[in-house]
Amino acid sequence: MPPCSNSDALGDQVLQIPLCDRWRIHHRLQELMINSSCPADGSLRVEVNSCITAILVRSIVMQFVASRHELVHWLERCWNYSDNY
């Protein structure tokens, strides 16, 4: 799969995730073989090398930090998008 056209979006990304969620997110990323780490500063570091990885990371983070309303809205947008194609 070719990398994203915007090279600034690739490489190590530092995500500020609530401490209560970062280990669960880190574990899920590891299950999907996405390189990540949880340094002592409280951040979650994720290696993003492709657009697919970026989408997976976003999806996983949303599962843990988004409100129910945000998740429902996102799902409705996906359904509306799929109706158009």
Side-chain angles (χ1 to χ4, degrees), residues 2-73:
C4 296
S5 60
N6 180 358
S7 63
D8 292 338
L10 302 177
D12 286 341
Q13 302 297 312
V14 179
L15 306 174
Q16 295 303 323
I17 303 293
L19 289 173
C20 59
D21 293 323
R22 75 177 179 142
W23 286 106
R24 295 186 318 169
I25 293 170
H26 170 66
H27 179 72
R28 182 65 182 130
L29 292 169
Q30 294 298 304
E31 289 175 343
L32 295 173
M33 295 187 288
I34 297 173
N35 291 329
S36 63
S37 63
C38 295
D41 66 2
S43 64
L44 173 64
R45 294 184 179 269
V46 180
E47 185 179 325
V48 178
N49 294 322
S50 70
C51 293
I52 296 296
T53 302
I55 292 167
L56 286 170
V57 170
R58 181 197 183 279
S59 177
I60 293 163
V61 171
M62 287 287 291
Q63 289 174 15
F64 286 95
V65 301
S67 69
R68 183 180 189 283
H69 174 75
E70 290 172 311
L71 292 172
V72 168
H73 178 69

